[in-house]
């Protein structure tokens, strides 16, 4: 009887794996994946599941934020999704504050001088990866605040939302009568990125807006978009949103063009030279 060939056959493109976390050029053992690749896949899947179900350590996050800036005013609220299971099955509840949280924010805002408004409200939400927020929120805010310092914007109290989805930032911004809201949120984990944080900007936030009203900067983490690069892009969008009074599909990230990284429209390679 002929013995099976247990030798792993390397893929000729294997050297390209140094440039990406994507599962390419894994090789084969017979007609199957090599054991090491199969185990790596299972480990990545387990890490993604853990990230989805991990509870945000709010105390550790607020302590970290206050250590970085003793004057920061942090408020912790919750969405209408009472627990993680409900959050995962009812996205609509994750987009709205629960009654107690909404009342608390309204009373807080009404305790300030009448008609007080803010330029910017910053919201942090666990989303689908509390791990992403735990690892990336503080260092990113450090980079962003350094960019915002010369602008002298008025900031609403920093709000941390448990069991929150992207749209809940609009409700917080509306309550604070903020011109703009930015929400930092844990993204849905991929099989090589359980720690990816997303940023969403909305001009004139209010309940009921949809994704076309928001600008998104994705994959903010050490292995993705660096904190400094993300802060530069968000600062550009904030500046332009404030100047043009719009966001979403009407506002484009042109930081690459400003740095000379993309050709101007008149140099479109699809157009023939005349």
């Amino acid at each position: 009887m002929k013995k099976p060939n247990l030798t792993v056959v390397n893929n000729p493109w294997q050297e390209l794996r140094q440039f990406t976390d994507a599962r390419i050029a894994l090789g084969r053992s017979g007609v199957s994946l090599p054991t090491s690749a199969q185990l790596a896949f299972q480990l990545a899947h387990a890490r993604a599941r853990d990230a989805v179900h991990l509870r945000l350590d709010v105390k550790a996050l607020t302590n970290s934020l206050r250590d970085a800036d003793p004057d920061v005013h942090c408020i912790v609220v919750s969405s209408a999704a009472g627990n993680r299971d409900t959050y995962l099955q009812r996205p609509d509840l994750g987009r709205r504050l629960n009654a107690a949280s909404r009342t608390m924010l309204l009373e807080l805002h009404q305790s300030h001088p009448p008609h007080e408004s803010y330029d910017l409200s910053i919201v942090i939400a666990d989303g689908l990866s509390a791990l992403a927020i735990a690892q990336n929120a503080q260092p990113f805010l450090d980079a962003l605040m350094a960019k915002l310092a010369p602008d002298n914007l008025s900031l609403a109290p920093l709000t941390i939302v448990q069991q929150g989805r992207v749209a809940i930032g609009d409700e917080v911004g509306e309550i604070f009568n903020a011109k703009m809201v930015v929400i930092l949120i844990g993204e849905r984990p991929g099989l090589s990125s359980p720690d990816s944080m997303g940023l969403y900007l909305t001009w004139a936030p209010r309940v009921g807006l949809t994704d076309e009203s928001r600008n998104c900067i994705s994959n903010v983490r050490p292995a993705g978009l660096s904190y400094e690069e993300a802060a530069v892009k968000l600062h550009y969008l904030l500046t332009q949103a404030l100047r043009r009074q719009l966001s979403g599909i009407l506002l484009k990230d042109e930081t690459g063009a400003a740095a000379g990284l993309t050709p101007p429209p008149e140099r479109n390679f699809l157009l023939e030279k005349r």
Side-chain angles (χ1 to χ4, degrees):
M1 179 177 178
K2 185 177 180 180
K3 292 183 179 179
N5 183 3
L6 300 179
T7 302
V8 173
V9 178
N10 292 327
N11 188 289
W13 288 7
Q14 186 178 17
E15 63 180 34
L16 297 179
R17 295 180 59 191
Q18 64 182 303
F19 303 111
T20 177
D21 291 331
R23 287 181 165 77
I24 63 171
L26 299 177
R28 63 181 178 82
S29 179
V31 294
S32 302
L33 284 174
T35 301
S36 60
Q38 182 63 25
L39 291 175
F41 177 86
Q42 292 175 347
L43 177 60
H45 186 255
R47 285 173 172 166
R49 288 178 58 89
D50 287 348
V52 169
H53 292 282
L54 182 68
R55 186 181 181 85
L56 180 63
D57 189 340
V58 174
K59 184 177 181 180
L61 178 60
T62 54
N63 287 340
S64 175
L65 293 168
R66 286 167 179 156
D67 287 344
D69 180 3
D71 295 328
V72 69
H73 184 188
C74 294
I75 304 171
V76 180
V77 295
S78 298
S79 75
N83 54 59
R84 201 61 174 171
D85 287 346
T86 302
Y87 174 81
L88 294 174
Q89 296 176 77
R90 291 288 304 274
D92 56 320
L93 297 182
R95 299 184 184 111
R96 296 299 304 270
L97 294 168
N98 64 24
S101 296
R102 181 174 177 80
T103 299
M104 182 177 71
L105 293 183
L106 284 170
E107 291 177 350
L108 174 67
H109 186 58
Q110 290 169 359
S111 67
H112 286 69
H115 310 299
E116 181 175 7
S117 62
Y118 299 95
D119 292 319
L120 175 62
S121 172
I122 297 178
V123 179
I124 300 175
D126 46 9
L128 286 168
S129 174
L131 176 67
I133 294 301
Q135 294 185 353
N136 303 311
Q138 177 59 65
F140 168 74
L141 282 176
D142 289 344
L144 178 64
M145 290 306 172
K147 296 284 184 298
L148 292 178
D151 298 341
N152 197 30
L153 300 179
S154 58
L155 301 180
L158 181 58
T159 307
I160 300 172
V161 183
Q162 301 175 98
Q163 316 286 13
R165 293 185 182 266
V166 171
I168 206 166
D170 295 339
E171 185 172 12
V172 175
E174 181 180 38
I175 291 173
F176 283 134
N177 196 21
K179 296 177 182 175
M180 302 176 288
V181 66
V182 168
I183 182 168
L184 287 57
I185 191 166
E187 294 180 344
R188 185 185 305 276
L191 287 177
S192 60
S193 56
D195 58 343
S196 182
M197 184 175 73
L199 317 170
Y200 291 82
L201 160 67
T202 310
W203 169 261
R206 59 189 183 279
V207 173
L209 293 179
T210 56
D211 288 343
E212 54 86 24
S213 299
R214 308 183 186 100
N215 290 88
C216 175
I217 299 172
S218 183
N219 197 29
V220 181
R221 60 191 182 111
L225 187 66
S226 71
Y227 305 134
E228 180 64 21
E229 290 177 283
V232 168
K233 288 181 178 294
L234 182 56
H235 180 250
Y236 173 84
L237 291 173
L238 286 168
T239 302
Q240 295 301 314
L242 194 60
R243 185 173 71 84
R244 305 182 194 180
Q245 302 188 4
L246 49 79
S247 62
I249 59 173
L250 299 176
L251 179 61
K252 306 301 181 186
D253 173 15
E254 297 174 335
T255 53
L261 300 179
T262 57
E266 62 270 19
R267 294 176 58 189
N268 190 322
F269 73 95
L270 294 175
L271 301 177
E272 295 181 359
K273 293 183 179 179
R274 297 179 180 177

